[in-house]
Amino acid sequence: MSDNQRIFMKLSDSTNDQTYVLEQKTVGFKRLKPSWKKVLIVFLLFINGLSVHAQQQEGIHRKQLFDDNWKFLLGDTVAVSSKDFNDESWRKLDLPHDWSIEGKVNPKNPTKGGGGYFPAGIGWYRKTFRAPDAWEAEKAAIYFEGVYMNSEVFINGKSLGVHPYGYTSFSYDLTPYLNFGKENVIAVRVDNSQQVNSRWYSGSGIYRHVWMRVSNPVHVAHWGINITTPVVSTKKATVQIKTLVKNETTSTQSIVAKTILWNKSSKIAGKGQVQIELPANSEKEITQTINVSNPLLWTPETPSLYQAQIQVIKDKKVLDDTKTSFGIRSIKFTAEKGFQLNGKTVKINGGCVHHDNGCLGSVAFDRAEERKVELLKAGGFNAVRTSHNPPSEAFLDACDRLGLLVMDESFDCWKVGKNSNDYSKYFNQWWKSDLSSMVLRDRNHPSIFMWSIGNEIPERGKPEAVKTAIMLIEELKKMDNTRPVTSAIVESGKDWTIMDSLMDVHDVAGYNYHLYSAPDDHKRVPGRMIVHTESYPKDAFVNWKLVQENNYVIGDFVWTAIDYLGEAGIGRTYYSGETPGENWDNDMFPIHAAYCGDIDLIGWRKPISHYRSMLYNNNEKLYMAVREPEPEPLEIKTTWWSVWPTWESWTWPGFEGKTVQVEVYSKYPKVRLYQNNKLVGEQATTKDQEYKATFSVTYALGELKAVGVENNKEVEATTLQTAGNAAKIKLTADRKEILANGQDLSYISVEITDKDGIIQPNTTNRLHFKIDGPGVIAGVDNANIKDTDYYVDNTRKAWKGKALVVIKSNHHVGDIILSVTSDGLEEKSIIIKSTQKN
């Protein structure tokens, strides 16, 4: 959940600081005296339809963010798990945290090119907290959204268990081990030393949120709510709510389960209740069906959300109260009509993403995850594939809220591995637990329209792969049978038809880089539905054409939508004489990122992003960029995943008088190109020309102007202009006001321009950053995958005239001032307000 979906109400006393989380609406307030806070809580509960008394809150389910005030040690030592261990010398920090991104990329690091040459190792986290006496009559559990990897959690020296997989969420019951009214110590050992494990940057540490969950012994089970919408129309929808209620007492409990559905205007959309008897130490699933009139349907264009408030009540006292967001929508898949959302066929313009957030590493701050979704939406995507693991909860919340379809994926391998220390070591023992974690946690998200159980499984093409797939699918469908299941399959030099038996057990066949075979496959297997789970960026048009012309092909997911760390250089371009190809197993250092994304590491949309979006959308109709000229006698080479380096620049010193290629992408029938107000030429840009025109132009200083032509009239223009010498620093914040919660972010774009404000794309000025006020620099970047400077620092070189600074709030309000200096340029500052108001 992001902060704009929560109400944080803190009741401070001498023993505890509890955070009550109500997910009905956003309310910001300043610190109040405890008595006034209680008054405010009663008022808020009342306006949200919870007419209960303040004294009844002792039994209500509470979910407390547990991210603050941890101690950290990079390394391994004895007796760390002991409650009495002295950790005074350890580093103090707040979670989420990734220690790998703080380190230096180095070819000697064991993660190698696949992991981006970042450091890994072993780390310890400790936190001291007080468990109030009131908890003794309740149930307390600690919940980790994600720890990479091989974690072991201790409470007061007692091991609660191990969790190998770094991408799934897990929790432990603390109740039997707590010292009530006294201090307790949580210790977490994280072991990412067993390399190589991931095939991309993983990060290291407790990189997602941690929560303390406190509830009455009679409560809704963790992940015990399953909301579906079996009947959907614009006039009426049926919402089915299955709730697993647990009785962890020694006596039978007679309770009422009450459900209230709230719409986005905080009005009741429907309600119902049922009375049940729960025997001692038992659990029971309750099914309720509620009709909603004139529902607001969830789509990427109109992502309307509802909330189901579920109360467990005994003798008019609320024992448990939870809220779960959901959407009302229908999905259907057929070979005849493809993927239908609410009865309408939708073609998928999708992108694959890894989980990292560039210069922040794997840290899943809510705002970083939300921004990632914003970038995908701005890039024209309507769907994302979470390759090759479950994402953060904040990412899925943002997809729900902003409108992005999701293919939620579980594993990169099954029983046979791709690296010596990958998930194949744990699959046989852990697959069911990890698959359940993904599905039970994520199944209420309306954005998720497909599940994926794997990616390019090495044993594909063999009978054992089919058996494993059946096992996974059967288990998944016990938890959710409302969505189709796929996995990504690649040929790997074998007869493609060998994969038929594996594809046949999936609802939808996932093709990696093989969509060209779809027409022939359709003749062989007419009922097969196909989704292109991975594609080369350079094949955007041919894949778009196959998607548009064949209903049984529901869409395409490009590799990748956003650049990511690791898999070094698969999308790079290089000069003749350099190491060829895209195999990151070769020594690609200093390259440490992929560079195959439509969007680069600082959020800039590459030309291929504009082109792909034009194919699928109509909101952008004209774009111009220049193909990077070759520095003779060297030639520019590309990989399978790269496209020719093309830039929004008409500044090419040294190429005066030489011919350069100008690309214009257009949804207009024709385009014209002008150089310094003289017509260079006119070309058609229809579907037959793949909506592209390429002009050969003699480079000279000045201006290029591309014009879209319709009915012989010039209706839209875009320009590029030669930049002068670097003269100014320009700072632009994506948000000038952030929350003082220790986790909110502002992304500051840094541009070096000439005196007229035109970006100088050839400057590499060293930039220095200084922060004053209640904030810190969380990360810096410039999208140059060869730059080995630290990502957590106060300096960075510009690349292509750009850089990025990410500012993070602390827990205090006030003005955060970022000042940027560079030799020969005037200092520039920007103010970000840190506030408790949202």
Side-chain angles (χ1 to χ4, degrees):
M1 289 286 173
S2 63
D3 288 302
N4 59 6
Q5 289 177 295
R6 298 191 179 103
I7 301 172
F8 289 91
M9 289 167 284
K10 296 190 175 180
L11 291 175
S12 298
D13 57 31
S14 60
T15 60
N16 190 38
D17 185 27
Q18 299 176 351
T19 300
Y20 292 81
V21 180
L22 301 174
E23 299 161 4
Q24 179 62 35
K25 62 175 69 174
T26 298
V27 174
F29 59 91
K30 297 180 179 179
R31 294 181 179 273
L32 300 173
K33 293 180 180 179
S35 59
W36 280 105
K37 289 181 181 180
K38 292 179 181 178
V39 171
L40 181 57
I41 287 173
V42 173
F43 173 70
L44 291 171
L45 293 173
F46 176 76
I47 65 172
N48 283 286
L50 304 177
S51 53
V52 295
H53 297 293
Q55 62 266 26
Q56 293 177 329
Q57 299 309 302
E58 291 299 327
I60 290 183
H61 185 105
R62 301 183 295 280
K63 184 180 177 185
Q64 175 181 341
L65 198 61
F66 210 59
D67 286 348
D68 296 347
N69 301 317
W70 287 74
K71 298 285 192 70
F72 173 69
L73 174 72
L74 182 56
D76 202 8
T77 186
V78 297
V80 177
S81 63
S82 169
K83 180 179 182 296
D84 300 322
F85 179 85
N86 187 348
D87 58 17
E88 284 299 314
S89 63
W90 287 24
R91 174 184 170 191
K92 297 178 181 179
L93 54 75
D94 294 343
L95 303 177
H97 173 242
D98 170 12
W99 78 71
S100 287
I101 198 66
E102 299 172 343
K104 186 79 170 176
V105 293
N106 189 307
K108 295 181 180 179
N109 284 329
T111 56
K112 299 183 179 179
Y117 303 107
F118 283 86
I122 297 174
W124 278 90
Y125 297 85
R126 285 170 58 88
K127 176 167 178 168
T128 300
F129 68 101
R130 292 181 69 84
D133 291 326
W135 285 12
E136 193 165 6
E138 299 179 307
K139 303 295 291 186
I142 189 166
Y143 171 54
F144 294 86
E145 290 191 15
V147 182
Y148 203 90
M149 61 175 292
N150 285 314
S151 67
E152 184 171 9
V153 179
F154 301 83
I155 178 69
N156 299 327
K158 168 68 177 178
S159 177
L160 297 174
V162 297
H163 189 84
Y165 197 29
Y167 297 116
T168 47
S169 305
F170 58 97
S171 63
Y172 297 111
D173 182 10
L174 300 180
T175 311
Y177 315 106
L178 290 174
N179 297 317
F180 299 103
K182 300 179 181 179
E183 288 192 341
N184 297 265
V185 175
I186 289 279
V188 184
R189 184 178 187 268
V190 184
D191 184 358
N192 195 19
S193 65
Q194 300 173 43
Q195 296 292 333
V196 178
N197 49 63
S198 176
R199 296 188 302 120
W200 56 90
Y201 178 84
S202 66
S204 302
I206 307 177
Y207 69 102
R208 293 177 182 168
H209 292 307
V210 181
W211 299 86
M212 183 68 72
R213 305 171 63 92
V214 182
S215 62
N216 188 285
V218 181
H219 61 275
V220 176
H222 184 42
W223 297 334
I225 298 172
N226 182 16
I227 303 173
T228 58
T229 53
V231 178
V232 174
S233 74
T234 56
K235 294 183 178 180
K236 189 177 84 168
T238 299
V239 179
Q240 185 181 83
I241 307 100
K242 293 183 178 180
T243 306
L244 183 63
V245 183
K246 299 186 75 171
N247 174 14
E248 297 188 72
T249 73
T250 57
S251 61
T252 298
Q253 301 290 326
S254 178
I255 63 166
V256 172
K258 182 179 180 181
T259 298
I260 306 171
L261 304 184
W262 299 91
N263 65 21
K264 65 178 183 179
S265 301
S266 299
K267 294 182 179 179
I268 294 177
K271 58 185 177 180
Q273 65 181 47
V274 61
Q275 185 164 348
I276 61 169
E277 296 284 323
L278 273 176
N281 295 308
S282 70
E283 60 184 30
K284 182 178 292 186
E285 185 176 75
I286 303 163
T287 300
Q288 294 174 277
T289 300
I290 300 174
N291 292 325
V292 176
S293 299
N294 303 312
L296 300 172
L297 303 188
W298 190 96
T299 71
E301 297 76 26
T302 58
S304 300
L305 292 175
Y306 288 77
Q307 281 195 327
Q309 177 185 355
I310 299 171
Q311 298 176 319
V312 177
I313 303 170
K314 180 181 180 182
D315 298 331
K316 297 183 180 181
K317 179 180 179 180
V318 178
L319 305 181
D320 195 3
D321 192 304
T322 64
K323 293 185 180 71
T324 301
S325 293
F326 70 98
I328 296 176
R329 52 96 175 113
S330 68
I331 58 175
K332 186 177 181 180
F333 293 75
T334 63
E336 293 73 28
K337 294 187 178 180
F339 164 55
Q340 292 176 288
L341 179 64
N342 302 325
K344 297 179 181 179
T345 297
V346 175
K347 292 294 187 178
I348 297 300
N349 175 30
C352 301
V353 296
H354 279 317
H355 72 297
D356 74 84
N357 284 304
C359 64
L360 300 179
S362 62
V363 171
F365 292 124
D366 290 1
R367 173 56 193 158
E369 301 293 80
E370 179 182 62
R371 177 178 179 264
K372 187 185 297 182
V373 177
E374 290 175 352
L375 291 174
L376 290 166
K377 291 280 289 186
F381 294 105
N382 64 1
V384 61
R385 174 182 174 225
T386 68
S387 45
H388 303 290
N389 50 262
S392 72
E393 293 185 38
F395 182 79
L396 292 176
D397 288 340
C399 290
D400 289 345
R401 189 173 61 255
L402 300 178
L404 192 69
L405 293 161
V406 179
M407 178 190 292
D408 201 354
E409 191 158 85
S410 55
F411 309 121
D412 188 40
C413 60
W414 297 340
K415 296 182 179 181
V416 179
K418 300 172 182 178
N419 283 321
S420 56
N421 289 293
D422 63 17
Y423 187 70
S424 63
K425 294 176 61 174
Y426 312 105
F427 180 85
N428 285 335
Q429 180 180 352
W430 287 91
W431 71 267
K432 184 179 289 189
S433 173
D434 289 324
L435 185 68
S436 297
S437 175
M438 178 184 79
V439 178
L440 295 179
R441 188 196 73 169
D442 297 348
R443 61 188 173 182
N444 294 321
H445 289 279
S447 56
I448 297 175
F449 77 118
M450 296 183 73
W451 302 109
S452 172
I453 55 173
N455 171 67
E456 297 183 355
I457 301 305
E459 59 265 45
R460 63 189 180 276
K462 298 178 180 179
E464 50 263 40
V466 178
K467 292 180 181 178
T468 302
I470 292 172
M471 176 182 73
L472 290 165
I473 293 168
E474 287 181 348
E475 185 65 24
L476 191 155
K477 299 238 172 175
K478 292 177 185 176
M479 297 175 281
D480 177 51
N481 63 1
T482 68
R483 298 171 175 94
V485 180
T486 188
S487 69
I489 299 171
V490 71
E491 181 180 14
S492 190
K494 302 175 182 178
D495 177 8
W496 182 242
T497 60
I498 292 176
M499 306 300 171
D500 281 355
S501 58
L502 180 57
M503 291 181 182
D504 287 347
V505 301
H506 294 80
D507 301 306
V508 179
Y511 284 28
N512 275 11
Y513 310 104
H514 219 277
L515 195 61
Y516 60 86
S517 68
D520 288 339
D521 287 359
H522 181 63
K523 295 175 184 176
R524 188 177 76 255
V525 191
R528 176 181 296 173
M529 289 172 286
I530 298 169
V531 59
H532 207 197
T533 33
E534 287 181 28
S535 66
Y536 299 116
K538 61 188 175 182
D539 293 336
F541 178 81
V542 66
N543 290 329
W544 170 83
K545 193 169 181 289
L546 284 166
V547 170
Q548 298 302 313
E549 294 178 354
N550 301 286
N551 282 341
Y552 55 87
V553 179
I554 69 170
D556 175 40
F557 287 87
V558 68
W559 191 271
T560 59
I562 300 178
D563 276 334
Y564 56 95
L565 302 173
E567 289 190 305
I570 70 167
R572 72 190 179 115
T573 56
Y574 57 98
Y575 294 128
S576 50
E578 294 183 327
T579 303
E582 61 283 323
N583 188 349
W584 57 90
D585 290 331
N586 292 334
D587 185 5
M588 292 292 181
F589 192 84
I591 296 172
H592 57 276
Y595 207 71
C596 54
D598 277 20
I599 302 164
D600 73 11
L601 283 169
I602 65 173
W604 178 68
R605 291 178 63 192
K606 300 175 188 176
I608 185 64
S609 170
H610 295 271
Y611 179 62
R612 187 185 319 280
S613 182
M614 274 190 207
L615 293 177
Y616 286 89
N617 304 294
N618 293 314
N619 59 326
E620 186 177 10
K621 300 185 72 174
L622 187 69
Y623 178 84
M624 174 174 56
V626 178
R627 289 168 63 91
E628 185 174 314
E630 294 180 297
E632 296 178 356
L634 298 179
E635 297 177 341
I636 292 176
K637 304 289 186 179
T638 60
T639 71
W640 282 103
W641 283 272
S642 63
V643 295
W644 193 276
T646 309
W647 308 98
E648 296 173 358
S649 170
W650 193 234
T651 306
W652 301 99
F655 287 90
E656 291 83 357
K658 296 182 181 180
T659 300
V660 296
Q661 304 299 313
V662 179
E663 290 189 351
V664 181
Y665 313 143
S666 169
K667 293 298 281 288
Y668 294 103
K670 297 178 182 178
V671 293
R672 294 171 186 159
L673 184 69
Y674 294 88
Q675 183 180 18
N676 296 329
N677 294 319
K678 293 183 179 179
L679 181 65
V680 174
E682 178 181 284
Q683 292 188 35
T685 50
T686 67
K687 183 178 179 181
D688 290 340
Q689 290 80 37
E690 301 183 4
Y691 305 110
K692 280 184 181 181
T694 302
F695 296 89
S696 296
V697 181
T698 301
Y699 177 66
L701 305 185
E703 182 186 78
L704 282 181
K705 182 170 72 172
V707 180
V709 179
E710 198 166 46
N711 298 321
N712 290 320
K713 292 183 179 180
E714 297 185 352
V715 294
E716 183 183 352
T718 184
T719 62
L720 293 173
Q721 192 166 341
T722 306
N725 294 330
K728 297 179 180 180
I729 297 172
K730 180 182 178 182
L731 304 180
T732 307
D734 70 333
R735 299 158 79 230
K736 287 194 172 183
E737 185 173 304
I738 60 178
L739 292 176
N741 60 7
Q743 302 204 2
D744 208 2
L745 307 174
S746 179
Y747 285 77
I748 315 293
S749 297
V750 184
E751 295 175 341
I752 298 179
T753 74
D754 67 6
K755 61 182 179 59
D756 297 318
I758 301 169
I759 293 178
Q760 171 44 262
N762 301 314
T763 185
T764 57
N765 289 48
R766 169 68 66 178
L767 300 162
H768 302 280
F769 312 115
K770 180 185 176 184
I771 282 284
D772 291 300
V776 297
I777 295 174
V780 294
D781 199 359
N782 58 14
N784 182 0
I785 64 173
K786 294 182 180 179
D787 190 335
T788 60
D789 282 358
Y790 285 100
Y791 280 96
V792 182
D793 206 346
N794 59 3
T795 183
R796 194 76 170 183
K797 285 184 177 180
W799 188 64
K800 303 297 180 182
K802 302 185 186 79
L804 178 72
V805 184
V806 185
I807 304 301
K808 182 172 75 72
S809 66
N810 59 28
H811 297 276
H812 302 285
V813 301
D815 288 347
I816 305 170
I817 304 171
L818 171 69
S819 301
V820 183
T821 58
S822 183
D823 289 347
L825 302 177
E826 184 179 350
E827 179 178 336
K828 191 73 174 180
S829 297
I830 191 170
I831 298 175
I832 307 299
K833 290 188 176 296
S834 180
T835 175
Q836 288 184 345
K837 295 181 180 180
N838 192 18

